[in-house]
Structure formats: C-alpha cells, structure tokens
Amino acid sequence: MPTATSVTRHFHDPAGTITLDETARHRRRMKMVSDNGIEFLLDLAEARLLRHGDGLLLDDGQVIEVRAAPEDLLEVRGRDARHLLALTWQIGNRHLAAQILPDRILIRRDHVIRDMLEGLGAAVADVSAPFDPEGGAYGDAHGAHGHGHAHAHHHDH
C-alpha cells in the first residue's frame, strides 16, 4: 500500500482527490481511500490540519489532492470593518475555530453563539461551504480544530 509521508502545495495532475470535512482533515496517521478508490496510508511526522488544495505525496510518486468538504456553517457579517473586527474578537474569546475572510467570518453552527452574535448586531446566515479555519497560535501542527479544554481564567471581562 502506498504511503504519504509529506504534504506539498506544488503538484500538477493529481492521481486522485480525497474529500474530507475539517475534523477529518486533522490527521497524522491513518489508512485512507481517495474519492476514486486509491488506498494509501497517511503517515506524517506530526498531526496537522490538511488544507484544501494540499497534495499528499505518495511514496510511489503519485499525489492525492485534499478537498475540503462542505459543512454546515454560520456566515457572520458586521455592519462595517470595525464591527466585524469586534465580532471576530468575541468569537476568538470563546476559542472557536473560525475562517476569517475580508468581509465575513465562517464558524461551525451553534445556536447559542448565533444568538450571541445576533445580539451584538451581526448578520448571521446558515451556509454550506468548505471550512478552512485559521491555524492556532502554535501553527497547523495543533491547528484550530475543535476541542474541549479547561483553564484557570474566566471570560467575564
């Protein structure tokens, strides 16, 4: 079985594609099957978030292109750039994975967060789109994947 031990952005004519949601794209080692049936082992040195458009370089020279599957998301828009920036801060303060675009933010659907954002004056819409959130402060090795955690500080400011 071919093995992918590296990720590249420089390739042409991939042998296949693999379509995964954001959670399934955060991987280090696992058996995978491309959309067109090529079986391979993903065996990276460390876990990372595979990005839409990445190529998984197989040891037989083939490349499998990573595709981000559409997911159920919230599209968040502000009244202006300053408002959008304030909304982005609120989302980040809650440690939510977010894809930050010039005119909007994409986050996972969550009715509590939706209510909060609408209460802050955001325009919020349900969308289905590929989700490619920002990397975390420590890069894509840990990335911005959803996870529960506890810490000693409070968010009541």
Side-chain angles (χ1 to χ4, degrees), residues 85-99:
L85 185 60
L87 296 169
T88 304
W89 185 88
Q90 291 291 341
I91 291 166
N93 193 43
R94 283 148 184 85
H95 303 275
L96 300 174
Q99 183 174 347

Side-chain angles (χ1 to χ4, degrees), residues 33 41 52 54 63 68 91-93 104 119 127 143-144 153 156-157:
V33 180
L41 176 65
H52 182 82
D54 280 349
V63 174
I91 291 166
N93 193 43
R104 66 194 183 285
V127 297
H153 69 274
D156 300 331
H157 301 288

Side-chain angles (χ1 to χ4, degrees), residues 52-104:
H52 182 82
D54 280 349
L56 303 175
L57 182 58
L58 303 181
D59 56 7
D60 65 4
Q62 297 184 94
V63 174
I64 305 297
E65 184 176 0
V66 176
R67 299 283 180 166
E71 300 185 48
D72 293 335
L73 304 173
L74 294 177
E75 178 185 79
V76 181
R77 293 181 182 267
R79 292 183 298 272
D80 54 32
R82 166 69 176 78
H83 186 226
L84 185 62
L85 185 60
L87 296 169
T88 304
W89 185 88
Q90 291 291 341
I91 291 166
N93 193 43
R94 283 148 184 85
H95 303 275
L96 300 174
Q99 183 174 347
I100 302 170
L101 302 161
D103 60 344
R104 66 194 183 285

Side-chain angles (χ1 to χ4, degrees), residues 111-144:
H111 71 279
V112 172
I113 298 300
R114 176 189 206 117
D115 290 347
M116 176 202 69
L117 292 168
E118 288 175 339
L120 294 169
V124 183
D126 291 338
V127 297
S128 180
F131 188 44
D132 203 19
E134 295 294 315
Y138 301 101
D140 283 343
H142 182 66

